[in-house]
Amino acid sequence: QVQLAESGGGLVQAGGSLRLSCAASGRTFSRPGMGWFRQAPGKEREFVAAITWSGGTTYYADSVKGRFTISRDYVKNSVYLQMNSLKSEDTAVYYCASAGGLPLDKSYTYRYWGQGTQVTVSS
Protein backbone atom coordinates (compact mmCIF):
# COMPACT_ATOMS: atom_id res chain seq x y z
CA GLN A 1 0.00 0.00 0.00
CA VAL A 2 1.05 3.57 -0.71
CA GLN A 3 -0.27 6.55 1.18
CA LEU A 4 -0.27 9.98 -0.43
CA ALA A 5 -0.85 13.24 1.40
CA GLU A 6 -1.34 16.49 -0.52
CA SER A 7 -0.94 19.98 0.89
CA GLY A 8 -0.59 23.53 -0.31
CA GLY A 9 -3.99 24.27 -1.78
CA GLY A 10 -5.89 27.43 -1.03
CA LEU A 11 -7.45 30.60 -2.38
CA VAL A 12 -5.41 32.81 -4.69
CA GLN A 13 -6.14 35.67 -7.06
CA ALA A 14 -5.84 35.22 -10.79
CA GLY A 15 -2.23 35.67 -11.86
CA GLY A 16 -0.95 34.40 -8.55
CA SER A 17 0.99 31.26 -7.62
CA LEU A 18 0.62 28.21 -5.43
CA ARG A 19 2.86 25.22 -4.74
CA LEU A 20 1.28 21.86 -4.07
CA SER A 21 3.15 19.14 -2.25
CA CYS A 22 2.54 15.41 -2.10
CA ALA A 23 4.32 13.20 0.40
CA ALA A 24 4.37 9.45 -0.28
CA SER A 25 4.75 6.73 2.33
CA GLY A 26 4.42 2.98 2.47
CA ARG A 27 5.54 0.63 -0.29
CA THR A 28 6.74 3.35 -2.65
CA PHE A 29 9.52 1.48 -4.47
CA SER A 30 9.23 0.37 -8.11
CA ARG A 31 6.86 3.08 -9.19
CA PRO A 32 7.23 4.34 -12.76
CA GLY A 33 6.13 7.83 -11.90
CA MET A 34 3.78 10.16 -10.12
CA GLY A 35 1.25 12.62 -11.39
CA TRP A 36 -1.22 15.35 -10.62
CA PHE A 37 -4.82 15.34 -11.77
CA ARG A 38 -7.63 17.78 -11.10
CA GLN A 39 -11.39 17.75 -11.02
CA ALA A 40 -13.56 20.82 -11.28
CA PRO A 41 -17.24 20.82 -10.20
CA GLY A 42 -19.38 19.05 -12.77
CA LYS A 43 -16.39 17.93 -14.82
CA GLU A 44 -14.42 14.73 -15.18
CA ARG A 45 -11.03 14.29 -13.58
CA GLU A 46 -8.29 15.44 -15.96
CA PHE A 47 -4.56 14.99 -16.26
CA VAL A 48 -2.40 17.95 -15.25
CA ALA A 49 1.23 16.81 -15.05
CA ALA A 50 3.39 13.76 -14.42
CA ILE A 51 7.01 12.87 -13.82
CA THR A 52 8.94 9.62 -14.19
CA TRP A 53 10.45 8.70 -10.85
CA SER A 54 13.83 7.49 -12.10
CA GLY A 55 14.67 9.81 -14.99
CA GLY A 56 12.59 12.82 -14.08
CA THR A 57 10.97 13.12 -17.50
CA THR A 58 7.98 15.43 -17.29
CA TYR A 59 4.64 15.54 -19.06
CA TYR A 60 2.05 18.32 -19.05
CA ALA A 61 -1.46 18.94 -20.23
CA ASP A 62 -1.57 21.59 -22.94
CA SER A 63 -3.68 23.82 -20.71
CA VAL A 64 -0.90 24.17 -18.11
CA LYS A 65 2.28 24.06 -20.23
CA GLY A 66 4.52 27.01 -19.49
CA ARG A 67 2.66 27.82 -16.26
CA PHE A 68 2.97 24.69 -14.11
CA THR A 69 6.11 22.77 -13.18
CA ILE A 70 6.22 19.29 -11.65
CA SER A 71 9.25 18.09 -9.71
CA ARG A 72 10.23 15.33 -7.33
CA ASP A 73 12.51 14.87 -4.35
CA TYR A 74 14.02 11.41 -3.84
CA VAL A 75 15.11 12.05 -0.28
CA LYS A 76 11.75 13.36 0.87
CA ASN A 77 9.84 10.88 -1.31
CA SER A 78 7.70 13.75 -2.48
CA VAL A 79 6.39 15.35 -5.64
CA TYR A 80 5.52 19.01 -6.13
CA LEU A 81 3.44 21.11 -8.49
CA GLN A 82 4.45 24.73 -8.84
CA MET A 83 1.54 26.64 -10.34
CA ASN A 84 2.14 30.14 -11.71
CA SER A 85 -0.05 32.58 -13.62
CA LEU A 86 -3.13 30.90 -12.24
CA LYS A 87 -6.43 31.37 -14.00
CA SER A 88 -10.01 30.98 -12.79
CA GLU A 89 -10.29 27.83 -14.93
CA ASP A 90 -7.58 26.22 -12.80
CA THR A 91 -10.03 26.07 -9.91
CA ALA A 92 -10.44 22.42 -8.96
CA VAL A 93 -9.60 19.75 -6.45
CA TYR A 94 -6.06 18.60 -7.21
CA TYR A 95 -5.09 14.98 -6.65
CA CYS A 96 -1.68 13.43 -6.37
CA ALA A 97 -1.35 9.88 -7.66
CA SER A 98 1.23 7.11 -7.85
CA ALA A 99 1.45 5.21 -11.13
CA GLY A 100 1.47 1.44 -11.49
CA GLY A 101 2.63 1.56 -15.10
CA LEU A 102 2.47 3.65 -18.27
CA PRO A 103 1.29 5.90 -19.84
CA LEU A 104 1.48 8.60 -17.21
CA ASP A 105 -1.19 10.88 -18.69
CA LYS A 106 -4.03 8.40 -18.17
CA SER A 107 -5.86 8.07 -14.88
CA TYR A 108 -6.30 4.30 -15.27
CA THR A 109 -2.51 3.94 -14.95
CA TYR A 110 -2.53 5.16 -11.37
CA ARG A 111 -2.95 2.74 -8.49
CA TYR A 112 -2.92 5.05 -5.50
CA TRP A 113 -4.54 8.43 -5.00
CA GLY A 114 -4.41 11.12 -2.38
CA GLN A 115 -7.46 12.75 -0.80
CA GLY A 116 -7.11 15.91 -2.86
CA THR A 117 -6.52 19.55 -2.06
CA GLN A 118 -8.76 22.42 -3.12
CA VAL A 119 -7.35 25.18 -5.31
CA THR A 120 -9.59 28.18 -5.86
CA VAL A 121 -8.57 31.00 -8.18
CA SER A 122 -10.59 34.19 -7.90
CA SER A 123 -10.88 36.49 -10.90
Side-chain angles (χ1 to χ4, degrees), residues 36-38 45-48 93-95 106-107 110 113:
W36 289 95
F37 288 74
R38 67 186 181 186
R45 189 172 297 186
E46 65 174 359
F47 169 73
V48 175
V93 177
Y94 284 71
Y95 297 90
K106 302 299 183 185
S107 61
Y110 291 81
W113 295 81

Side-chain angles (χ1 to χ4, degrees), residues 34-110:
M34 294 187 70
W36 289 95
F37 288 74
R38 67 186 181 186
Q39 188 167 18
K43 295 188 177 181
E44 293 188 353
R45 189 172 297 186
E46 65 174 359
F47 169 73
V48 175
I51 187 167
T52 60
W53 196 249
S54 58
T57 302
T58 57
Y59 305 87
Y60 296 96
D62 288 342
S63 58
V64 306
K65 277 181 184 175
R67 300 189 298 122
F68 291 9
T69 302
I70 188 171
S71 60
R72 83 238 192 282
D73 186 320
Y74 268 138
V75 175
K76 294 183 178 180
N77 208 10
S78 296
V79 65
Y80 307 95
L81 187 68
Q82 177 67 43
M83 306 186 294
N84 299 327
S85 302
L86 282 161
K87 305 175 182 180
S88 57
E89 51 262 45
D90 295 318
T91 296
V93 177
Y94 284 71
Y95 297 90
C96 170
S98 178
L102 298 173
L104 293 180
D105 62 340
K106 302 299 183 185
S107 61
Y108 60 72
T109 294
Y110 291 81

